[in-house]
Amino acid sequence: MNYERIRITLERELGTELYSLMQGEIIEAVLKEAKIEKIENEWKFILEGHSFKVGSQMAPRLHSLVSEVLEKLQFKEEIDFYITNNPELNAFSLARLEEDQSHIVNLNSGLVERLDDDELKFVVGHEVGHLISKNAGIMKLVQFIFPDPMRTPLLITHKITLWKKLSELTADRFGFLASPRLDKCFSGFFKLASGLDTERIKFDYRAYMRENEKILEYFRKE
């Protein structure tokens, strides 16, 4: 799979620019050598103690689901998947720092309970997309170098803000490849944004698309 053709061109260019601006190779080498601020290890310790690790024995259905996503995206690097007891519909990914470590993808329990399998595949694909594009690693560097967003230079803040939005769109493309059903992508988006049950309100994804097109048209004109 040609990952670079899937990514948004401006996202890739801005990511490369930010990585160079932050002296990414040097900072990564320093972090590896100094063994400090290893955020993914800190999170791993937290998750191991307070979260449920997805395995083939204890959670065969969920394990099969995430394995299917990894197979579709042809991603071979190790990922530890966790479920955290949190009703908020949210997920995150953390890139490994060393090659002998695993990446981390965490899904909140509220997300797993409220989304059906196709919607959940989209979210898992989205998070894996952040790892494939290396954007999770760039985000780690941003947080390390600029821990206080209020003190980040304004020009760099604008670049980071735009890059983060574009990186989410790129991750959505990987999510769609993992779950290529447009209706499920939109219903998943709607659940994440509203917290509502789509069955209860008789959600119509086509109407949702039309409404978003109206909003986009408004911003184009304004």
Side-chain angles (χ1 to χ4, degrees):
M1 182 178 292
N2 189 337
Y3 293 138
E4 294 307 301
R5 292 185 63 184
I6 298 167
R7 297 173 64 188
I8 295 171
T9 302
L10 183 56
E11 167 266 313
R12 184 174 62 247
E13 292 173 350
L14 278 175
T16 301
E17 183 179 341
L18 285 170
Y19 186 82
S20 176
L21 184 66
M22 295 184 293
Q23 299 292 311
E25 288 187 7
I26 296 175
I27 298 300
E28 287 175 344
V30 169
L31 290 176
K32 289 179 183 179
E33 200 63 33
K35 306 296 182 185
I36 61 171
E37 295 294 332
K38 297 182 71 171
I39 299 172
E40 74 285 357
N41 277 356
E42 179 184 342
W43 271 105
K44 188 175 180 66
F45 295 147
I46 293 171
L47 293 170
E48 288 284 358
H50 300 278
S51 302
F52 172 73
K53 187 174 181 178
V54 177
S56 59
Q57 298 298 315
M58 292 185 65
R61 180 178 175 184
L62 196 54
H63 183 267
S64 176
L65 186 149
V66 300
S67 297
E68 183 181 335
V69 169
L70 294 177
E71 185 177 349
K72 279 192 174 183
L73 296 181
Q74 300 176 18
F75 192 66
K76 305 299 183 182
E77 296 172 14
E78 290 293 323
I79 302 178
D80 288 334
F81 289 88
Y82 292 91
I83 310 295
T84 296
N85 184 12
N86 189 327
E88 183 180 350
L89 304 187
N90 204 359
F92 64 80
S93 55
L94 291 171
R96 66 188 183 186
L97 189 61
E98 310 257 7
E99 289 192 3
D100 61 348
Q101 298 171 347
S102 298
H103 302 291
I104 289 173
V105 171
N106 182 77
L107 307 170
N108 285 352
S109 58
L111 192 75
V112 177
E113 288 183 344
R114 296 294 296 276
L115 271 60
D116 66 25
D117 284 0
D118 288 313
E119 293 165 344
L120 195 56
K121 285 177 187 176
F122 172 81
V123 172
V124 173
H126 174 103
E127 295 304 329
V128 174
H130 281 306
L131 300 173
I132 291 172
S133 64
K134 310 294 185 183
N135 285 332
I138 295 175
M139 193 65 235
K140 185 192 301 179
L141 294 177
V142 170
Q143 293 169 340
F144 178 76
I145 297 174
F146 305 111
D148 183 359
M150 298 301 294
R151 303 187 67 178
T152 305
L154 188 59
L155 180 59
I156 297 177
T157 297
H158 290 327
K159 286 182 181 293
I160 292 172
T161 300
L162 178 58
W163 166 76
K164 285 172 68 176
K165 291 178 179 178
L166 292 171
S167 69
E168 292 298 322
L169 293 175
T170 282
D172 286 341
R173 291 185 172 187
F174 286 101
F176 180 73
L177 289 174
S179 182
R181 284 190 55 182
L182 197 57
D183 59 332
K184 293 299 181 178
C185 294
F186 274 98
S187 61
F189 270 129
F190 182 78
K191 288 179 180 178
L192 289 167
S194 68
L196 293 172
D197 187 322
T198 51
E199 286 298 320
R200 183 172 180 82
I201 65 169
K202 302 302 178 187
F203 175 76
D204 182 344
Y205 84 94
R206 293 183 180 84
Y208 188 54
M209 289 175 61
R210 290 193 294 270
E211 189 63 29
N212 277 279
E213 281 297 329
K214 290 179 183 178
I215 295 172
L216 287 172
E217 185 61 28
Y218 169 79
F219 281 110
R220 291 189 191 104
K221 290 179 179 179
E222 295 299 321

